[in-house]
Every structure is written in structure tokens, then in C-alpha cells.
Amino acid sequence: KGRAEYMTITEFSKKNMLKVLSEFRDKNILDVQKDEEVTRIEITNEHTAKGPMVFERQGEKWMMTAPAAMMPSQKEVKNLVSGLRHFRVTEFEASVPPAAESGLDKAKITVKAMVRGQERTILFGNERDSKVSSHLVGTSLYFKIGSWTKNKFDKKPGDFRNKEVVAVDPLKVKALKLEHGTETVLLSRVDAHHWKMDAPEQVSVGKGLDEKASAGIANTLKSLEVKGFTSKKAADVGLAKPAFTLTAT
């Protein structure tokens, strides 16, 4: 403008300049930079008839304080924290969407998160074409997120049951007793790197003992997790008279 010249530019350049307000908004609306900044999470959804699920950071661990107090699966809670840290808006709404369209007047999921001492509340409404209408309470921000983001918070209390069976340091395992019904194997640690068999035969390293097998059992105890919980009784699953028993000292 101001010059008696006319020119052409590429379509790419035009698209880069023709921006509307919503395209200038930061899609990282929660601004969570580090996991440690999240200290409390509260979730209300269709699975929380007994009250919202509440998780509170206590030192290095997370505790579930409602609807029942318990040590939850740390992995599952960390997935929630990760969902907040990587929360991204797919697209912003130009204006407040009609309630009949968004479903935000009767939100299906409500997530409250304490971030750096400030509570942030997000409402999730109707879902259409893999996009979910959402709103950051206390602001004028109405937007849509991907269904995969919403699904991270569409959890049941049972999903947070602690699945760690023992979770011990393998180096602290001093002895193993393996009862197979017809045979009992006794293994004991010699030092940090070596094992020996005490029964049914006395076998040491260099005399036929595969130490990797002994170390493998100790290492398995560190990461042994429940695959799924059952309401069946011991007799129904063969535990009244076990086929195998492992005892670790």
C-alpha cells in the first residue's frame, strides 16, 4: 500500500497471514510445565455415583482420598498427570456454543486439577466426529479436544487399584523357596551377584547352577503386577490346594 505496484504472492504465504483470533490462542491452556506442578486431581464422570475420585500428591507418591482412601496404581495416576501436562486444544470456538449442541450445561466429565496452587476446572460435553466440546471454567474459552484426550479421564475407581504384587528390590531377596507339589527347590543368595541351590541338591555356580534363572525370579518380583482382579473364591481357581507356591525372604 502506498506504492503504485501490484504483485502476486503464493497461496502458502496468504494462508500464513490470514489468521483469525482463535489461531493466535495458545492451545496449551493449562500451562503445566512439570508433573510436580500438579498436586491434586478430582474427576467426576458416569462411574462416580459414590462421589468424585480424588487423588492427592503426598511426597513422591499419590494417594486416592475419595471415594475410598487407598494407595492407587501410581502408573495410572501418572497417566492422568501426563494427560494434564500434554493437554492440547484441537480447535477454539469463535463464540459460546449453544448448550443443546455442546452438552456443557450437563457435563459428562468434570476434571479439577490443582496446578501451582491454582485450581483449574475443565468440563467435557458432547462428542461428535471424535471431537469433544469443552470449557475451561472461569474463562471465556470454549473449545474442542480429541476423544483420546477425554478418554484419559473417563476412568472407573477400579481402574486405579494398585496392581503391584510385591515390588521389592531384587538385591534384597536373600532366599527363594519354590514348591511344585512333588518337588521343593531352595535357593539362597551368596552375594550381590551369585546364588546357590540348597535343595533338592546342593549346587553352586561353576558346578551346574544357572544363576540367571535365580536372578530372573528375583527380578520378576520387582515388576510383578496383577493382570486382572477376580471375585471368584480360592476353591474356584485352584488356590485351595495350590499347584505352585513361591516364598521369598
Side-chain angles (χ1 to χ4, degrees), residues 9-19 23:
I9 61 173
T10 65
E11 185 71 15
F12 177 78
S13 296
K14 184 186 80 171
K15 288 182 178 179
N16 272 345
M17 292 186 287
L18 291 180
K19 303 290 186 182
E23 294 177 279

Side-chain angles (χ1 to χ4, degrees), residues 171-225:
L171 291 176
K172 292 183 179 180
V173 179
K174 301 301 181 184
L176 294 165
K177 181 179 181 181
L178 314 177
E179 298 175 82
H180 295 273
T182 58
E183 180 183 69
T184 297
V185 177
L186 298 178
L187 301 162
S188 58
R189 186 186 290 278
V190 177
D191 54 40
H193 305 288
H194 300 294
W195 289 80
K196 64 185 178 71
M197 179 185 289
D198 301 308
E201 300 177 13
Q202 290 190 342
V203 185
S204 60
V205 107
K207 294 184 178 181
L209 180 67
D210 182 358
E211 288 188 301
K212 291 182 179 178
S214 303
I217 295 173
N219 288 331
T220 297
L221 294 177
K222 177 183 179 181
S223 56
L224 188 61
E225 290 190 352

Side-chain angles (χ1 to χ4, degrees), residues 2-130:
R3 296 170 59 181
E5 295 177 316
Y6 294 89
M7 65 203 78
T8 60
I9 61 173
T10 65
E11 185 71 15
F12 177 78
S13 296
K14 184 186 80 171
K15 288 182 178 179
N16 272 345
M17 292 186 287
L18 291 180
K19 303 290 186 182
V20 295
L21 173 61
S22 62
E23 294 177 279
F24 289 97
R25 293 191 185 278
D26 185 357
K27 291 181 169 59
N28 178 18
I29 61 170
L30 295 179
D31 190 30
V32 179
Q33 303 298 324
K34 300 177 182 178
D35 288 357
E36 294 73 21
E37 295 174 345
V38 181
T39 55
R40 187 179 186 275
I41 302 172
E42 180 180 315
I43 299 174
T44 303
N45 57 31
E46 62 177 334
H47 310 297
T48 57
K50 295 182 179 180
M53 293 180 286
V54 179
F55 306 91
E56 297 184 17
R57 185 187 291 277
Q58 297 183 3
E60 296 296 319
K61 297 285 187 179
W62 281 88
M63 286 293 294
M64 175 182 270
T65 57
M70 70 173 188
M71 173 70 77
S73 165
Q74 299 300 300
K75 179 181 178 180
E76 291 298 332
V77 180
K78 287 177 181 178
N79 285 340
L80 293 179
V81 177
S82 177
L84 294 169
R85 182 160 63 88
H86 298 288
F87 191 94
R88 293 292 185 277
V89 170
T90 300
E91 61 184 70
F92 287 98
E93 301 280 12
S95 58
V96 179
E101 175 187 316
S102 70
L104 289 170
D105 56 331
K106 296 180 181 179
K108 293 177 172 58
I109 301 176
T110 300
V111 177
K112 295 181 180 180
M114 192 68 72
V115 181
R116 296 190 297 275
Q118 181 180 355
E119 186 175 84
R120 312 282 178 81
T121 301
I122 301 176
L123 306 180
F124 298 150
N126 292 336
E127 181 175 347
R128 184 177 181 182
D129 297 330
S130 298

